Amino acid sequence: MASASATAVVVVFDFDRTIIEWDSDDWVITKLGAADVFQRLRPTMRWNPLMDRMMGELHAQGRTAEEIRDCLRSAPLDAHVISAITTASALGCDMRVVSDANTFFIETVLTHHGVLGCFSEITTNPACVDADDRLRISPFHDSASAPHGCNLCPENMCKGNIIERIQATEGGKKKHLIYIGDGNGDYCPSLKLGEGDYVMPKENHPLWDLICSNEQLLKAEVHPWKSGEELERTLLKLVNKLITPPAQASQFDYKCEMSNPVSTEVGCSQALPVPH
């Protein structure tokens, strides 16, 4: 077994339907009473600009940014997923989030459940609260100025490009990636993984179906999961294969440091403060 000093283990989580069981966009829109407007606009707009438009609709209805935060805080998060995050972080893994949600939603949820400080980086669509207290959501990748060129991914984000950037850093260390996701957008990054990496698709979701349709396209080992409990058990089994855990690390007494992770937002002039 390699020592932690010789091996870097990077754990990359998707957010919607992976860290959280639910979809954060759907949760906010439904709970705050904007589902009818969403259904009317959905056929006419791409997802990322649609979410920005929906935040404008909520603002027009008098909903504040704090009400959106409260709505997100009210949603459940599986205790096994929280334990998986804190334990993998305690064992020395470099924890990342790569998501097509947005900074406001992700940071609100992770802060509320005490695990924001476990993550070194969150790569997602930028979100800002403007001077009128309206939440603005921008695309991570501005396709108007320079298309990312990937035909597997939505125009606002290619997760495969992000994985390639992670793979290119810290080139002196032997690095293993564990990628955990569920959706169509998680397929491209799964294809970027190499031998010695692992992909953990959520069973009976789009990523799982795409992998099963031609598993030979993947170089990484595939380890599916269905529940938060299975996610925790599978992730920690893989982590323990790759690193020697520090003797002092314990899933029972470890708490993530509540420092902010690096945000790789693009094009958001007003950073959103995260309440601690």
Side-chain angles (χ1 to χ4, degrees):
M1 194 181 303
S3 69
S5 60
T7 303
V9 179
V10 184
V11 180
V12 181
F13 278 91
D14 176 41
F15 183 67
D16 289 313
R17 304 193 188 280
T18 300
I19 288 180
I20 56 176
E21 175 64 27
W22 32 284
D23 180 274
S24 55
D25 292 331
D26 180 66
W27 182 274
V28 168
I29 289 165
T30 302
K31 295 293 181 181
L32 296 183
D36 290 346
V37 177
F38 173 81
Q39 293 298 335
R40 188 174 72 248
L41 293 175
R42 178 69 186 105
T44 68
M45 299 182 71
R46 298 184 306 278
W47 191 268
N48 185 255
L50 175 58
M51 286 305 105
D52 181 61
R53 171 71 179 273
M54 290 309 303
M55 296 307 104
E57 292 291 332
L58 291 174
H59 182 259
Q61 294 174 17
R63 298 290 191 174
T64 66
E66 190 61 29
E67 283 180 278
I68 297 172
R69 281 197 190 95
D70 286 342
C71 178
L72 290 160
R73 292 171 185 141
S74 74
L77 200 159
D78 192 311
H80 291 287
V81 176
I82 296 173
S83 177
I85 291 168
T86 57
T87 306
S89 178
L91 293 174
C93 296
D94 179 5
M95 310 291 286
R96 315 279 186 115
V97 174
V98 177
S99 168
D100 200 5
N102 65 79
T103 52
F104 186 98
F105 286 10
I106 295 172
E107 292 180 1
T108 296
V109 170
L110 297 183
T111 298
H112 179 66
H113 292 280
V115 293
L116 179 64
C118 292
F119 294 95
S120 67
E121 183 180 81
I122 295 172
T123 307
T124 187
N125 298 298
C128 320
V129 178
D130 68 16
D132 296 322
D133 199 41
R134 180 223 198 272
L135 181 60
R136 302 305 307 254
I137 299 173
S138 307
F140 172 77
H141 188 97
D142 182 6
S143 61
S145 60
H148 57 61
C150 175
N151 59 12
L152 292 175
C153 294
E155 62 182 21
N156 64 293
M157 174 174 281
C158 173
K159 291 186 178 183
N161 284 352
I162 296 163
I163 291 299
E164 287 179 325
R165 176 181 58 77
I166 293 171
Q167 290 169 325
T169 58
E170 301 176 36
K173 282 188 176 182
K174 183 180 179 183
K175 185 183 300 186
H176 296 278
L177 269 67
I178 303 172
Y179 189 95
I180 311 168
D182 74 289
N184 289 312
D186 298 309
Y187 186 56
C188 178
S190 299
L191 294 173
K192 303 294 185 182
L193 302 176
E195 293 181 7
D197 295 333
Y198 301 90
V199 58
M200 291 176 51
K202 191 173 186 178
E203 281 194 46
N204 303 318
H205 283 69
L207 174 59
W208 171 247
D209 295 338
L210 286 165
I211 288 173
C212 289
S213 68
N214 193 347
E215 197 167 338
Q216 289 70 33
L217 292 177
L218 272 76
K219 296 177 182 176
E221 279 190 26
V222 180
H223 292 263
W225 56 280
K226 290 181 181 177
S227 64
E229 184 175 4
E230 272 193 307
L231 184 155
E232 179 185 23
R233 183 170 61 248
T234 304
L235 174 60
L236 297 184
K237 179 181 72 176
L238 296 177
V239 168
N240 280 298
K241 275 179 62 176
L242 294 170
I243 65 173
T244 303
Q248 72 272 20
S250 166
Q251 68 185 91
F252 302 108
D253 60 18
Y254 183 81
K255 294 187 185 298
C256 295
E257 293 295 326
M258 286 306 295
S259 58
N260 282 328
V262 173
S263 174
T264 55
E265 318 183 327
V266 174
C268 189
S269 59
Q270 182 182 352
L272 182 71
V274 179
H276 286 160

